[in-house]
């Protein structure tokens, strides 16, 4: 297992950071160049559509709350909510903290860049999902990259569609399912432990599996119906909680933005160490965490958008753009500002203080600060009593839960493409078992 982990970490370091066996062989990771380059290409070819059509796209999202009564599809707003259920997850909380602790505040700037170009990617992939989707013999709509690869590029490219489906199933089972379930379980158990409640993990896993089953057994109509209520609620709760913290630390907000831009462009002298505040590190972790969070170009969100009642590919593509904006430019930015403005009474890392010129006691500079606890500590420090800790726990649980539900549909569609419609119902029972085992 250690050897396998070493191989995975080595490959990950190369594709994201250009490192191989600890040696920098490329200035930046090839995946960052490919994804950002593709996003830039679409931004240019679309004539800056994500920027020029942003306000009309918001209007389309609002209008998309009303459907046309089609029983086989979901409303455009439900499609967006379902896509967001997969996009908004632990990456918006823990992922942002990871970007800051390892890549420095400048990583947030590169997350923003990723989001802007990611909006162009989201438009392209989701509009294609509408254009090339299929209706099966049961009247159900199937769509996503596997269908626009096959129907758009031709049957000779079916191997690529199959490869995408296999990758989707692996990613859904591990990242979208088991890891999310385990995260929810560990958070609940750890938060209840101080109150003398020794809750077994199998109990939490069982309850979680039941709730997931109730939602996914009804298919995309049930998932979309729940997503359109739960996703806006959890996003609003988190934004309000962040706003409360920022009101408490409002004097530090300009300084936080200053650190983001100065660190992103190397305006401060970088120093060595595990924190890695160099501009390349900021770019590497900002891009990787941003793409992990908003999934732009990954091909997952188009599967949800393909189920929309919208017949105009361009209109649904513009609605999909707003999902990337909400995920990264709103939720991730709120998390970053909370982390960068929160203060505490901890000793700071001398090298980090030298790098950013910060002599205060911001918690992200504290010795021993780590991504797993940084956001939680920021909220705990700003809000009275146990409110902050419970707020983060609740938001993490909601974010992870919706990710489980959203990715269940992605995996179901991938399996349907590979083996046929008959696998749909059995898969939903298998998915519940996966969640229980993961917990």
């Amino acid at each position: 297992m250690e050897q396998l982990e070493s191989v995975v970490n080595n490959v990950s370091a190369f594709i994201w950071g250009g490192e191989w066996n600890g040696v920098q062989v490329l200035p930046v990771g090839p995946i960052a160049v490919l994804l950002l380059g593709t996003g830039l290409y679409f931004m240019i070819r679309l004539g800056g559509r994500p920027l020029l059509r942003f306000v009309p796209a918001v209007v389309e999202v609002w209008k998309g709350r009303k459907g046309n009564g089609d029983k086989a599809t979901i409303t455009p707003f439900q499609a967006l909510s379902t896509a967001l259920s997969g996009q908004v997850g632990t990456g918006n909380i823990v992922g942002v903290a990871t970007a800051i602790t390892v890549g420095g505040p400048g990583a947030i700037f590169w997350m923003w860049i990723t989001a802007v170009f990611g909006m162009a990617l989201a438009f392209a992939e989701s509009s294609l999902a509408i254009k090339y989707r299929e209706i099966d013999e049961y009247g159900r709509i199937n769509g996503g990259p596997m269908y626009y690869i096959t129907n758009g590029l031709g049957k000779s490219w079916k191997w690529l569609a199959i490869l995408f489906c296999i990758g989707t199933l692996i990613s859904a089972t591990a990242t979208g399912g088991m890891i999310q379930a385990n995260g929810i379980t560990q958070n609940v158990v750890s938060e209840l432990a101080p109150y003398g409640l020794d809750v077994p993990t199998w109990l939490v896993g069982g309850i979680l599996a039941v709730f997931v089953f109730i939602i996914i057994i009804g298919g995309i109509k049930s998932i979309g119906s729940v997503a359109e209520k739960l996703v806006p609620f959890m996003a609003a709760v988190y934004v309000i909680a962040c706003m409360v913290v920022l009101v408490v630390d409002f004097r530090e907000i300009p300084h936080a933005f200053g650190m983001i831009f100065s660190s992103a462009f190397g305006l401060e002298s970088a120093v060595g160490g595990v924190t890695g505040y160099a501009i390349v590190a900021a770019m590497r972790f900002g891009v990787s965490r941003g793409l992990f969070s908003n999934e732009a170009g990954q091909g997952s969100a188009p599967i949800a958008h393909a189920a929309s009642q919208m017949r105009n590919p361009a209109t649904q593509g513009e609605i999909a753009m707003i999902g990337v904006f909400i995920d990264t430019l709103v939720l991730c930015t709120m998390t970053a500002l909370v982390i960068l403005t929160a203060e505490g009474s901890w000793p700071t890392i001398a090298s980090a203080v030298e790098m950013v010129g910060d002599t205060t006691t911001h918690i992200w500079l504290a010795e021993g600060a780590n991504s797993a606890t940084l956001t939680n500590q920021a909220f705990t420090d700003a809000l009275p009593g146990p409110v902050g800790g419970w707020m983060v726990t609740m938001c993490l649980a909601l974010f992870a839960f919706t990710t489980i539900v959203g990715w269940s549909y992605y995996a179901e569609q991938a399996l349907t493409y590979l083996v046929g419609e008959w696998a749909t119902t059995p898969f939903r029972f298998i998915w519940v078992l996966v969640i229980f085992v993961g917990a």
Side-chain angles (χ1 to χ4, degrees), residues 47 65 69 85 99 142 148 193 195 219 313 358 361 374 380 400 422:
R65 295 175 299 118
S85 71
N142 298 315
Y148 62 70
Y195 299 95
D358 191 336
T361 53
L374 192 55
T380 301
W422 65 267

Side-chain angles (χ1 to χ4, degrees), residues 89-128:
T90 55
N92 296 87
I93 299 178
V94 180
V96 174
T98 301
I100 291 174
T101 55
V102 184
I108 304 306
F109 172 83
W110 293 106
M111 290 183 75
W112 294 339
I113 296 299
T114 300
V116 172
F117 291 155
M119 290 172 69
L121 284 171
F123 173 88
E125 59 185 0
S126 295
S127 58
L128 287 174

Side-chain angles (χ1 to χ4, degrees), residues 128-144:
L128 287 174
I130 293 290
K131 181 176 177 61
Y132 292 107
R133 62 187 177 180
E134 295 180 354
I135 301 179
D136 62 24
E137 61 270 29
Y138 304 103
R140 293 181 298 197
I141 287 183
N142 298 315

Side-chain angles (χ1 to χ4, degrees), residues 36-52 113-121 124 321:
L36 286 181
T38 306
L40 175 61
Y41 169 79
F42 279 119
M43 181 68 79
I44 295 172
R45 287 299 304 271
L46 291 169
R49 191 185 191 103
L51 304 178
L52 298 176
I113 296 299
T114 300
V116 172
F117 291 155
M119 290 172 69
L121 284 171
M321 297 186 324

Side-chain angles (χ1 to χ4, degrees), residues 80-404:
L80 173 63
S81 298
T82 302
L84 274 171
S85 71
Q87 290 171 304
V88 177
T90 55
N92 296 87
I93 299 178
V94 180
V96 174
T98 301
I100 291 174
T101 55
V102 184
I108 304 306
F109 172 83
W110 293 106
M111 290 183 75
W112 294 339
I113 296 299
T114 300
V116 172
F117 291 155
M119 290 172 69
L121 284 171
F123 173 88
E125 59 185 0
S126 295
S127 58
L128 287 174
I130 293 290
K131 181 176 177 61
Y132 292 107
R133 62 187 177 180
E134 295 180 354
I135 301 179
D136 62 24
E137 61 270 29
Y138 304 103
R140 293 181 298 197
I141 287 183
N142 298 315
M146 53 282 205
Y147 290 95
Y148 62 70
I149 287 173
T150 305
N151 299 331
L153 296 178
K155 300 296 182 181
S156 61
W157 287 88
K158 189 169 183 176
W159 64 270
L160 185 59
I162 293 173
L163 186 62
F164 171 81
C165 288
I166 293 172
T168 299
L169 287 171
I170 294 172
S171 184
T173 302
T175 308
M178 300 184 77
I179 291 177
Q180 303 294 331
N182 189 267
I184 292 174
T185 304
Q186 296 303 322
N187 268 289
V188 170
V189 170
S190 62
E191 284 296 326
L192 293 177
Y195 299 95
L197 299 174
D198 186 16
V199 181
T201 55
W202 64 263
L203 178 60
V204 179
I207 295 173
L208 179 61
V210 169
F211 278 113
V212 170
F213 179 77
I214 291 172
I215 295 172
I216 70 171
I217 195 60
I220 187 59
K221 294 288 287 185
S222 176
I223 293 173
S225 178
V226 171
E228 73 170 337
K229 301 177 181 66
L230 187 57
V231 171
F233 168 77
M234 71 180 190
V237 168
Y238 187 67
V239 169
I240 292 172
C242 290
M243 291 298 294
V244 171
V245 174
L246 293 177
V247 167
V248 174
D249 298 319
F250 74 95
R251 293 184 180 85
E252 296 296 324
I253 295 177
H255 181 56
F257 278 106
M259 286 191 293
I260 290 172
F261 286 104
S262 63
S263 177
F265 295 105
L267 300 181
E268 302 287 351
S269 57
V271 283
V274 294
T275 44
Y277 293 112
I279 186 171
V280 173
M283 181 185 296
R284 170 186 172 182
F285 289 98
V287 171
S288 64
R289 292 297 89 189
L291 293 171
F292 174 76
S293 178
N294 61 48
E295 300 178 12
Q298 183 172 313
S300 50
I303 299 176
H305 286 285
S308 170
Q309 295 171 356
M310 182 64 65
R311 291 184 174 88
N312 188 325
T315 302
Q316 192 64 40
E318 290 180 350
I319 291 174
M321 297 186 324
I322 303 303
V324 176
F325 176 84
I326 293 172
D327 177 271
T328 306
L329 293 176
V330 175
L331 297 179
C332 287
T333 299
M334 297 299 288
T335 302
L337 291 177
V338 166
I339 292 173
L340 294 175
T341 58
E343 297 184 20
S345 56
W346 299 276
T348 54
I349 302 173
S351 59
V353 172
E354 179 186 344
M355 206 295 288
V356 297
D358 191 336
T359 57
T360 62
T361 53
H362 289 111
I363 66 167
W364 73 276
L365 294 171
E367 292 182 9
N370 65 83
S371 59
T373 60
L374 192 55
T375 308
N376 189 296
Q377 188 60 60
F379 275 92
T380 301
D381 183 64
L383 300 179
V387 174
W390 274 103
M391 180 62 66
V392 175
T393 298
M394 182 185 73
C395 289
L396 272 172
L398 285 173
F399 286 8
F401 179 77
T402 57
T403 298
I404 291 172

Side-chain angles (χ1 to χ4, degrees), residues 46-72:
L46 291 169
R49 191 185 191 103
L51 304 178
L52 298 176
R53 292 284 299 172
F54 178 78
V55 174
V58 173
V59 174
E60 288 162 359
V61 169
W62 183 253
K63 291 180 178 178
R65 295 175 299 118
K66 299 179 181 179
N68 58 16
D70 187 348
K71 295 182 179 180

